């Protein structure tokens, strides 16, 4: 396996496209979209390898939405590092959250985003558990339940598809608002 990074360019938060709603994906998949999804998952997995991340001066990421690459389609990938070079890979098209817990959680050290290249203070309220309906790369519908950190990543990526960045969800006047009503993970 080569450690070379795929040739992708991640948009910075100042790009107006990141505040636009992405369009539904149609099936069969456009070959360019499929290639971008494949490149994105490889990028994420290599970004989670400390040596590669240091070599290329990139930050580790778990999820990447196509809009972050300038492709305005409702699609994203998530790569969950299981250790020992193994990953859970998720290729998600046209997702929607169909149910969620009442319990709210937040990332203790704060959420990050490969499109936000600055430190951000504050917490982002997220549901502890979600159920999503989405489609795989063959256009087959599936239902998936996610909890804790994976639920946060999926909500973060779905927000991207709706033109919302995590920084938009932080209360500007009170960045830690209602922290006591949520559980830190």
């Amino acid at each position: 396996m080569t450690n070379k990074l795929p040739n992708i360019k991640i948009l910075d938060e100042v790009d107006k496209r990141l505040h636009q709603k992405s369009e539904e994906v149609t099936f069969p998949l456009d070959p360019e979209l499929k290639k971008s999804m494949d490149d994105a998952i490889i990028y994420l997995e290599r970004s989670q390898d400390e040596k590669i991340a240091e070599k290329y001066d990139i930050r580790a990421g778990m999820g990447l939405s196509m809009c972050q690459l300038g492709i305005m389609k409702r699609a994203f990938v998530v790569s969950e590092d299981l250790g020992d070079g193994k990953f859970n890979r998720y290729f998600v098209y046209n997702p929607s959250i169909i149910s969620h817990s009442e319990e709210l959680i937040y990332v203790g050290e704060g959420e990050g985003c490969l499109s936000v290249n600055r430190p951000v203070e504050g917490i982002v309220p997220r549901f502890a558990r979600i159920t999503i309906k989405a489609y795989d790369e063959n256009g087959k519908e599936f239902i998936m339940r996610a909890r804790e950190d994976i639920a946060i990543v999926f909500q973060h990526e779905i927000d991207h598809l709706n033109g919302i960045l995590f920084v938009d969800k932080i209360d500007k006047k009170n960045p830690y608002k209602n922290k006591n009503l949520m559980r830190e993970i």
Side-chain angles (χ1 to χ4, degrees), residues 26-39:
T26 55
F27 298 95
L29 281 184
D30 172 58
E32 279 186 41
L33 176 59
K34 181 165 178 5
K35 182 180 184 327
S36 295
M37 293 283 279
D38 291 341
D39 286 349

Side-chain angles (χ1 to χ4, degrees), residues 29 33-34 36-45 48 61-66 74-82 86-95 130 132-138 142-155 157-158 161:
L29 281 184
L33 176 59
K34 181 165 178 5
S36 295
M37 293 283 279
D38 291 341
D39 286 349
I41 202 91
I42 291 166
Y43 181 93
L44 290 174
E45 289 170 3
Q48 293 178 53
M62 277 183 75
L64 199 55
S65 290
M66 289 300 96
R74 295 186 71 77
F76 66 81
V77 293
V78 170
S79 181
E80 177 186 19
D81 190 350
L82 302 173
K86 293 182 178 65
F87 296 89
N88 266 343
R89 290 175 152 197
Y90 303 92
F91 293 82
V92 182
Y93 299 88
N94 300 337
I130 60 170
I132 71 158
K133 179 176 87 170
Y135 296 85
D136 68 15
E137 62 188 25
N138 299 311
F142 66 91
I143 304 285
M144 183 187 141
R145 297 175 65 139
R147 47 192 314 265
E148 305 291 316
D149 55 342
I150 290 298
I152 287 175
V153 175
F154 272 64
Q155 290 169 82
E157 299 308 326
I158 290 170
L161 304 182

Side-chain angles (χ1 to χ4, degrees), residues 75-127:
F76 66 81
V77 293
V78 170
S79 181
E80 177 186 19
D81 190 350
L82 302 173
D84 294 331
K86 293 182 178 65
F87 296 89
N88 266 343
R89 290 175 152 197
Y90 303 92
F91 293 82
V92 182
Y93 299 88
N94 300 337
S96 58
I97 296 173
I98 55 174
S99 69
H100 59 78
S101 63
E102 286 190 24
E103 181 186 18
L104 294 174
I105 58 178
Y106 66 93
V107 179
E109 67 267 11
E111 271 186 44
C113 179
L114 295 175
S115 290
V116 178
N117 298 302
R118 61 185 171 97
V120 177
E121 288 287 316
I123 56 172
V124 181
R126 299 285 188 191
F127 300 114

Side-chain angles (χ1 to χ4, degrees), residues 63-74:
L64 199 55
S65 290
M66 289 300 96
C67 61
Q68 291 178 272
L69 304 181
I71 301 164
M72 303 310 291
K73 295 290 183 186
R74 295 186 71 77

